[in-house]
Amino acid sequence: MKNRDQAAALDAADPLAALRDQFELPPGLIYLDGNSLGPLPRATAARVQQVVADEWGRGLIGSWNDAGWIDLPQRIGDKIARLVGAGPGELVVADSTSVNLYKVASAALQAARADAPGRTRIVSERSNFPTDLYIAESLARQHGCELVLAATADELPALLDGRTALLMLTHVNYRSGRMHDMAALTAAAHAAGVRVIWDLAHSAGALPVDLHGAGADYAVGCGYKFLNGGPGAPAFVWVHPRHAGRFRQPLSGWMGHAAPFAFTPGYEPAPGIARYLCGTPPVISMAALDCGVDTVLAAEPLGGMAALRAKSLALTRAFAELVESRCAGHGLALVSPRDDARRGSQVCFTHPSAGYALIQALIARGVVGDFRAGDPSHAPSAADILRFGFAPLYVRFVDVWDAVEHLVQVLQGGQWRDERFARRAAVT
Ligand SMILES: *Cc1c(COP(=O)(O)O)cnc(C)c1O
């Protein structure tokens, strides 16, 4: 991509271009943060209005059956299953990613330790998303296990041994955008007798995932990122059928009961994935999530996730190359993998001093990416990160060109030095 005309030509030839019309995007805004909060689908407001006014307002309690509210966790779950290589009836929508992680990791740990009580380690990566590590920490404490964190992905294979019960990884790293080889790591873990939980927060809806193809055990994922389900959308949880009915998750609420409406005092878990439900589904949020998932499924007749992935790679490749060539000498260093096979749907850079100010200056110009602070004590996460997400459903090649043009102007004009963009000390 050498100029804006070439970017426009790529958009004109893009078979997925019309999918952008599914969204309410503020005019003039270049939104490169759909990896953090997906935009509003056009269908959502009317759908939520209908659920509120008709289903709740007029249908009242009858809507649990008449409007199918009670089946929403499974019905939307079956749609998400199509995006991640899972079968129908294997995945449910419920709770948040953090809570689902707690549920599956507890069950997985029970399963692992029933087979091999001597395994007392939970292995993850230091650069994993903090909530995943916090949940793992608390599980380790409860189960008398030890949380072992690899400093880099290369250290993981050596940690897969007879001491390890569980490997908990996020498929695409939230900071670097680095993607694990799910099939290879799962196979290595299984060869060592280790079960694996994959967090698909930055994968589902952004790139093809094949849980069955990878022989995966457990997965969780997020509804409000690339699935466009809205702020705080419910998350999802998948357990391979070979494990789903075998162990209990600890949050034994009535929605996970074999017969929730029998109102018996004793808990009897539902036979399959339904036991991973806990309480009453948040119907209004589920309706919004359903609309978000439909925006991704709309790509199915156009080549589906494979076509979305091809466009995402073209977008991220073009952005990385343009920033490196046009912003050379300004201190930005690419941290996302150059190798397509290792890169998720985002591109991240470090800057030695001005990461926060650069992002703020870009936001002031209508280019929305985000900033993630580094942690000096954690080697792979030590640097501050400028993060740009490229959701292939609605980001265009001209957006890539224009975003880089803004970045060039901010850097060359030194605009980021403006005190408006200075990093404020966190108020605690
Ligand atoms: C976004 C994200 C979450 C979010 O968890 P919540 O419970 O929804 O707050 C969890 N894990 C990863 C890896 C994420 O990227």
Side-chain angles (χ1 to χ4, degrees):
M1 214 154 88
K2 300 267 180 288
N3 53 49
R4 199 175 193 281
D5 286 346
Q6 276 186 10
L10 288 170
D11 286 325
D14 173 15
L16 304 176
L19 295 173
R20 177 179 166 90
D21 297 338
Q22 300 183 99
F23 298 93
E24 301 275 359
L25 286 158
L29 194 81
I30 299 175
Y31 193 61
L32 305 180
D33 219 354
N35 50 325
S36 202
L37 177 66
L40 172 65
R42 284 193 201 283
T44 303
R47 174 72 181 282
V48 167
Q49 171 66 16
Q50 181 224 338
V51 169
V52 170
D54 298 345
E55 296 179 12
W56 179 16
R58 276 182 273 281
L60 287 161
I61 197 165
S63 288
W64 281 107
N65 292 319
D66 300 342
W69 287 351
I70 199 70
D71 301 323
L72 283 169
Q74 282 87 358
R75 204 157 47 73
I76 305 173
D78 281 352
K79 290 186 179 184
I80 296 174
R82 278 151 58 187
L83 303 174
V84 296
E90 293 178 4
L91 186 153
V92 286
V93 170
D95 303 314
S96 67
T97 307
S98 306
V99 173
N100 287 332
L101 204 51
Y102 179 76
K103 293 186 293 192
V104 288
S106 301
L109 210 50
Q110 265 179 65
R113 301 195 72 199
D115 294 348
R119 294 182 184 259
T120 55
R121 285 183 161 186
I122 303 173
V123 171
S124 190
E125 274 182 292
R126 182 151 283 164
S127 63
N128 200 348
F129 190 76
T131 201
D132 297 47
L133 296 180
Y134 302 157
I135 294 285
E137 205 180 294
S138 143
L139 277 161
R141 201 178 312 116
Q142 273 179 355
H143 291 258
C145 291
E146 180 195 2
L147 177 61
V148 179
L149 298 179
T152 68
D154 300 337
E155 289 179 10
L156 288 169
L159 293 169
L160 302 173
D161 59 22
R163 291 171 295 178
T164 298
L166 198 59
L167 175 63
M168 280 176 63
L169 292 175
T170 298
H171 184 215
V172 174
N173 187 276
Y174 81 107
R175 289 170 57 88
S176 65
R178 182 187 158 127
M179 181 168 67
H180 287 297
D181 183 334
M182 182 183 286
L185 266 171
T186 302
H190 288 175
V194 175
R195 287 171 171 77
V196 192
I197 298 176
W198 288 104
D199 186 333
L200 305 178
H202 292 275
S203 317
L207 45 93
V209 175
D210 187 0
L211 288 170
H212 276 288
D217 300 299
Y218 306 89
V220 298
C222 183
Y224 52 79
K225 292 171 179 160
F226 290 104
L227 294 180
N228 308 313
F236 65 88
V237 48
W238 172 81
V239 178
H240 191 284
R242 69 178 173 261
H243 303 305
R246 280 190 63 218
F247 287 85
R248 294 182 177 206
Q249 59 95 353
L251 305 181
S252 49
W254 69 315
M255 287 294 142
H257 194 282
F261 297 101
F263 299 102
T264 54
Y267 184 74
E268 180 66 43
I273 191 67
R275 69 175 54 189
Y276 282 83
L277 299 175
C278 180
T280 305
V283 170
I284 300 168
S285 300
M286 291 254 179
L289 174 62
D290 199 14
C291 295
V293 172
D294 283 346
T295 64
V296 187
L297 292 176
E300 278 186 340
L302 304 168
M305 288 312 309
L308 287 168
R309 175 64 171 161
K311 180 176 174 188
S312 155
L313 285 173
L315 292 167
T316 52
R317 203 184 304 122
F319 183 77
E321 284 173 8
L322 280 173
V323 170
E324 289 199 309
S325 59
R326 298 193 62 205
C327 305
H330 287 283
L332 290 168
L334 181 69
V335 286
S336 302
R338 284 172 211 282
D339 178 3
D340 283 358
R342 296 269 69 81
R343 190 171 69 246
S345 206
Q346 66 185 55
V347 178
C348 303
F349 291 90
T350 57
H351 188 276
S353 56
Y356 181 87
L358 286 168
I359 287 291
Q360 293 306 313
L362 285 172
I363 290 172
R365 286 166 159 263
V367 179
V368 181
D370 64 28
F371 171 81
R372 287 293 176 265
D375 178 341
S377 68
H378 289 171
S381 311
D384 290 347
I385 299 264
L386 296 88
R387 193 172 72 149
F388 302 94
F390 294 84
L393 276 178
Y394 50 85
V395 175
R396 299 166 298 193
F397 289 94
V398 288
D399 295 327
V400 169
W401 181 267
D402 292 343
V404 176
E405 178 61 33
H406 280 291
L407 183 58
V408 168
Q409 289 177 19
V410 163
L411 286 164
Q412 287 180 354
Q415 283 171 11
W416 54 273
R417 294 179 204 277
D418 189 312
E419 65 173 27
R420 279 182 302 153
F421 305 137
R423 193 171 172 182
R424 309 256 178 268
V427 180
T428 53

